Amino acid sequence: MKRILLPLVSLVGAALVLAAAAPAHIWTDVNGQTFSGELVSSNQAEVSIRAANGTVSRYARSLLSAKDLAYADQAGGAIPIDVKLDVSRVKFNASDDNSHEGQTITTEAWGYDIALTSKTMRAASNLRVEYQLYVRQAKLGEIISSQPLLNRPGSKTIGKLDAGGKISFKSDPVTTRLVKLKQGYYWTETGHSESVNDKLEGIWVRVFQGQTMIAEFTTNDTFKKAGWPVELKAAAAGK
């Protein structure tokens, strides 16, 4: 069988970014000859297969049987891809309200820019991003550090991520307040003149391809120690 091979340096590099590989498969060419190898990737033009010695070769789709092409397309979609996850904190907007006697209230909307960059040389579908935003909110006169940590869940479904492609989106906003007293005023409940502000403490992001988690990011590892809030609630409900 005639094989269409490209330089092995680039092919091996592409194979290394896969988070997993399909099991060995017996392939059949259009002439009926067979060989064994692991599926690395599949696209509209070719199928990449890794031999037992680790060599990765590309085969034009016209060289393989229809049954093998169907297998490659189905199994290839189940192989987890490798993605780079970038997360950065951003202020969406802010507004001041000076109508309150003795105080200025600044309302701000904070969140995160979340970007996924594919490091795998094939497209992927069925991607889902789940995140938890963490915030502390204080009432007038309260100290923010003594307030409980609250979570705000969010998610984003990504229909398709192209090979080497990038997709960016913004998280849901979290509204926070900064209450600043004017000179000479103080909180009647506490007698102090400190500012009161809410605070966006951080984010925990997880990326799934199907049921497999392929990337994760958190601004604070203590979030992970406490556990994913949705899973904790589900476990408690099941008891």
Side-chain angles (χ1 to χ4, degrees):
M1 179 185 70
K2 181 180 178 182
R3 297 183 180 182
I4 299 178
L5 305 178
L6 296 182
L8 291 179
V9 173
S10 62
L11 292 175
V12 172
L16 290 178
V17 300
L18 294 176
H25 177 76
I26 303 300
W27 303 86
T28 304
D29 67 13
V30 291
N31 297 319
Q33 298 197 12
T34 61
F35 63 98
S36 177
E38 296 177 355
L39 173 66
V40 174
S41 65
S42 174
N43 57 42
Q44 295 180 350
E46 61 196 17
V47 177
S48 295
I49 300 171
R50 182 187 295 113
N53 63 2
T55 300
V56 178
S57 302
R58 290 177 180 171
Y59 299 84
R61 292 178 69 92
S62 60
L63 297 177
L64 299 173
S65 68
K67 183 178 180 179
D68 285 335
L69 292 178
Y71 163 79
D73 292 341
Q74 180 179 10
I79 300 176
I81 65 169
D82 188 18
V83 298
K84 181 183 180 218
L85 181 58
D86 294 304
V87 182
S88 57
R89 176 183 168 119
V90 292
K91 182 192 292 186
F92 296 155
N93 56 63
S95 62
D96 291 335
D97 182 357
N98 293 295
S99 62
H100 301 271
E101 183 180 0
Q103 58 187 271
T104 298
I105 300 178
T106 300
T107 301
E108 300 178 337
W110 286 88
Y112 288 86
D113 283 331
I114 302 173
L116 275 68
T117 304
S118 173
K119 298 169 63 180
T120 304
M121 299 310 295
R122 60 182 172 83
S125 57
N126 195 23
L127 299 179
R128 184 179 76 262
V129 181
E130 296 182 356
Y131 59 84
Q132 299 285 335
L133 297 165
Y134 293 88
V135 63
R136 296 185 195 274
Q137 295 183 314
K139 297 179 181 179
L140 299 184
E142 294 180 335
I143 299 175
I144 189 65
S145 60
S146 63
Q147 304 311 304
L149 189 65
L150 307 175
N151 69 289
R152 301 283 188 270
S155 64
K156 173 76 172 180
T157 298
I158 299 174
K160 182 181 178 182
L161 180 60
D162 292 328
K166 180 178 181 179
I167 290 180
S168 301
F169 65 94
K170 294 184 183 299
S171 73
D172 292 333
V174 170
T175 301
T176 63
R177 295 182 314 158
L178 170 62
V179 184
K180 186 176 182 181
L181 291 174
K182 297 177 182 178
Q183 187 173 3
Y185 284 81
Y186 60 89
W187 302 115
T188 56
E189 296 89 346
T190 61
H192 66 69
S193 58
E194 297 176 359
S195 299
V196 174
N197 65 289
D198 302 332
K199 184 178 180 182
L200 178 60
E201 295 282 2
I203 190 172
W204 182 6
V205 185
R206 303 196 302 185
V207 183
F208 293 86
Q209 182 179 354
Q211 299 301 315
T212 303
M213 188 170 69
I214 59 175
E216 185 177 30
F217 171 87
T218 179
T219 53
N220 192 324
D221 283 337
T222 59
F223 300 155
K224 296 174 66 175
K225 293 178 181 178
W228 192 258
V230 176
E231 294 175 354
L232 292 175
K233 290 180 181 179
K239 290 182 179 180

